[in-house]
Amino acid sequence: MKTVFQKILIALFFTCIVLATQSHHFMSVYHFPPAAFAVMYLGGVFLRRLSWYVYFILLVALIDGLTISLGAATGAYISWSYLFMFPAYGVLWLAGVWVGVKTPVTMLQSLLNTMISFLSILVAEAIASGSFYILKTQSPHNFSGFVNYYLTWAYQSVESFFFWVLPIMLVSYVAKAKVIAGLVPAQHHQDGLKP
């Protein structure tokens, strides 16, 4: 169980990642990929509480608003479709909460957690892309148009998501394994040496 101080440190780390990456919206040679989707998922894993979710969606919305109003995100503008980012973030947060509760003790649980992670980013991107496609692109709308729009953005979202999630989750699992290994008494190794 994490202490309040540990949760604040985790939130501060995630805040720094969002501040450093969200202002440019796209990965390039000079920028890390945006971390908003990953932070929403990781926040669910490590912080869990609804108050942290509200904090992070407000932080991301503030950064997006400032970035777009200052012209730093070329071609981007705020529209009604942006409101659908909140349920997209919610999908990621809830998936993170589910994975955070289900600590992997078996290979099957690890595989299931990975699948939940992957599905959550695909669903979140479907919500985001679907709303932007319907509300920002010109009519007529059709399913193949949505699929093309979705595939254009899904690749970047999945790439950005796993760029941040994989190393952070790996460090977390290694740290947990070391703690668990440290709690196991060393005596059981000597039992095999006894006649």
Side-chain angles (χ1 to χ4, degrees):
M1 184 169 171
K2 292 175 188 64
T3 66
V4 172
F5 181 70
Q6 288 171 322
K7 288 191 176 194
I8 290 171
L9 285 179
I10 291 168
L12 183 61
F13 174 67
F14 291 160
T15 299
C16 290
I17 292 173
V18 170
L19 289 172
T21 65
Q22 194 64 19
S23 62
H24 49 75
H25 281 65
F26 305 104
M27 182 172 64
S28 71
V29 174
Y30 305 106
H31 299 107
F32 283 114
F37 276 167
V39 164
M40 294 301 170
Y41 172 81
L42 293 167
V45 172
F46 296 107
L47 302 172
R48 296 192 183 120
R49 294 186 63 137
L50 181 62
S51 56
W52 287 115
Y53 169 70
V54 171
Y55 164 74
F56 281 110
I57 61 170
L58 292 175
L59 175 68
V60 171
L62 177 67
I63 294 169
D64 286 346
L66 287 173
T67 300
I68 291 168
S69 66
L70 296 174
T74 308
Y77 60 91
I78 297 288
S79 72
W80 288 106
S81 55
Y82 189 82
L83 294 176
F84 287 88
M85 293 304 293
F86 302 124
Y89 292 147
V91 166
L92 292 163
W93 192 274
L94 291 174
V97 168
W98 191 88
V99 167
V101 171
K102 306 285 185 183
T103 303
V105 291
T106 65
M107 185 61 96
L108 182 62
Q109 186 64 53
S110 295
L111 182 61
L112 184 59
N113 285 357
T114 303
M115 291 306 297
I116 294 292
S117 303
F118 188 66
L119 288 174
S120 71
I121 186 61
L122 292 179
V123 170
E125 184 55 43
I127 294 168
S129 288
S131 65
F132 278 77
Y133 174 72
I134 291 169
L135 297 173
K136 284 181 73 174
T137 61
Q138 296 194 358
S139 294
H141 296 114
N142 57 41
F143 184 72
S144 65
F146 165 72
V147 170
N148 288 335
Y149 191 87
Y150 175 76
L151 292 176
T152 300
W153 295 105
Y155 174 78
Q156 292 179 6
S157 294
V158 169
E159 183 180 59
S160 297
F161 179 79
F162 284 109
F163 178 89
W164 293 106
V165 169
L166 288 177
I168 291 171
M169 292 303 292
L170 182 62
V171 168
S172 170
Y173 289 145
V174 168
K176 282 182 186 175
K178 286 188 175 185
V179 167
I180 291 169
L183 296 176
V184 176
Q187 182 180 359
H188 77 282
H189 295 295
Q190 297 174 353
D191 291 343
L193 300 175
K194 291 180 182 177

